[in-house]
């Protein structure tokens, strides 16, 4: 382990097991529907890939990239869209796939932004949740792990 990494919060085995369960749950909840997974770049790309492989219903993908952190590695509250969706989500069942929800500012902005595009439904799936840092309330429909207030890296999350 690198010397600047203090501890392992979530092991590979824990990830695999939890993501399998989330995929099963999502497949069951969206039975009979097509689902559009929207991966939030860059942090969520590995999670999205692993999650998608555990979902057994027809799935489409699109991506958004937003800027969240400045040099200070703290949420600024200012969200800027760096890359927008390629397809319209109007009338579609949309699931936002995030790596981690911290203050909730990024997700809150994204949720409202996507809601305004009139999807048939809009839900949120995050791998990690740091509820102790929340500044705005957000609804998390699928959540992998609740973690303490620590800056986490690995599995595609920015370092
Ligand atoms: P929020 O707007 O909820 O404060 O922050 C959300 C975004 O900040 C996440 O999508 C993620 O990109 C980044 N982020 C928040 N906490 C962490 C962390 O502990 N590690 C890393 N690598 N990124 C984080």
């Amino acid at each position: 382990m690198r010397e600047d990494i203090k501890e392992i919060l979530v092991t590979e085995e824990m990830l695999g097991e939890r993501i399998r369960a989330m995929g099963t749950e999502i497949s069951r909840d969206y039975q009979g529907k097509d689902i559009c997974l929207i991966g939030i770049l860059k942090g969520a790309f590995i999670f999205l890939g692993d999650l998608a492989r555990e979902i057994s219903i027809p799935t489409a993908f699109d991506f958004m990239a937003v800027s969240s952190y400045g040099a200070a590695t703290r949420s600024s509250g200012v969200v800027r869209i760096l890359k927008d969706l390629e397809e319209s989500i109007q009338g579609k069942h949309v699931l936002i796939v995030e790596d981690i929800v911290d203050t909730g500012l990024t997700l809150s902005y994204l949720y409202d932004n996507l809601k305004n595009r009139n999807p048939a439904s809009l839900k949120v799936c995050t791998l990690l949740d740091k509820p102790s840092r929340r500044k705005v309330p957000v609804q998390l429909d699928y959540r992998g792990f609740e973690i303490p207030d620590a800056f986490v890296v690995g599995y595609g999350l920015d370092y």
Side-chain angles (χ1 to χ4, degrees), residues 85-99:
L85 300 177
E86 288 177 8
E87 307 267 341
S88 164
I89 55 166
Q90 185 161 1
K92 296 181 181 169
H93 294 285
V94 172
L95 183 60
I96 301 173
V97 180
E98 259 284 26
D99 54 354

Side-chain angles (χ1 to χ4, degrees), residues 40-44 66 68-69 73-77 79 98-108 128 130 133-134 147 150-154 156-159:
I40 309 304
L41 301 172
K42 304 173 195 164
V66 293
S68 49
Y69 278 106
T73 61
R74 286 282 163 191
S75 282
S76 58
V79 177
E98 259 284 26
D99 54 354
I100 180 164
V101 179
D102 187 28
T103 63
L105 289 165
T106 307
L107 181 60
S108 169
L128 303 173
K130 278 198 267 188
R133 299 239 321 140
R134 201 74 89 245
I147 60 165
F151 189 79
V152 293
V153 297
L157 274 73
D158 291 347
Y159 187 15

Side-chain angles (χ1 to χ4, degrees), residues 18 20-33 35 54-58 95 123 141-142:
R18 188 71 193 103
R20 216 166 297 126
M22 292 170 93
T24 303
E25 198 184 338
I26 290 167
S27 307
R28 195 192 54 217
D29 293 352
Y30 288 87
Q31 194 61 247
K33 298 173 182 154
I35 183 177
E54 303 295 344
I55 294 178
S56 56
I57 54 171
L95 183 60
K123 287 190 182 185
D141 302 285
Y142 305 96

Side-chain angles (χ1 to χ4, degrees), residues 9-61:
L9 287 176
V10 181
T11 66
E12 195 174 347
E13 289 70 31
M14 288 162 74
L15 275 175
E17 199 178 310
R18 188 71 193 103
I19 292 170
R20 216 166 297 126
M22 292 170 93
T24 303
E25 198 184 338
I26 290 167
S27 307
R28 195 192 54 217
D29 293 352
Y30 288 87
Q31 194 61 247
K33 298 173 182 154
D34 289 358
I35 183 177
C36 179
L37 301 181
I38 297 192
I40 309 304
L41 301 172
K42 304 173 195 164
F45 83 101
I46 295 183
F47 172 48
L48 179 69
D50 283 349
L51 179 69
R53 277 180 280 204
E54 303 295 344
I55 294 178
S56 56
I57 54 171
T59 305
F61 302 92

Side-chain angles (χ1 to χ4, degrees), residues 106-126:
T106 307
L107 181 60
S108 169
Y109 172 85
L110 277 172
Y111 188 92
D112 292 344
N113 183 292
L114 295 178
K115 192 82 191 164
N116 282 332
R117 305 184 196 193
N118 299 317
S121 68
L122 182 61
K123 287 190 182 185
V124 176
C125 174
T126 185

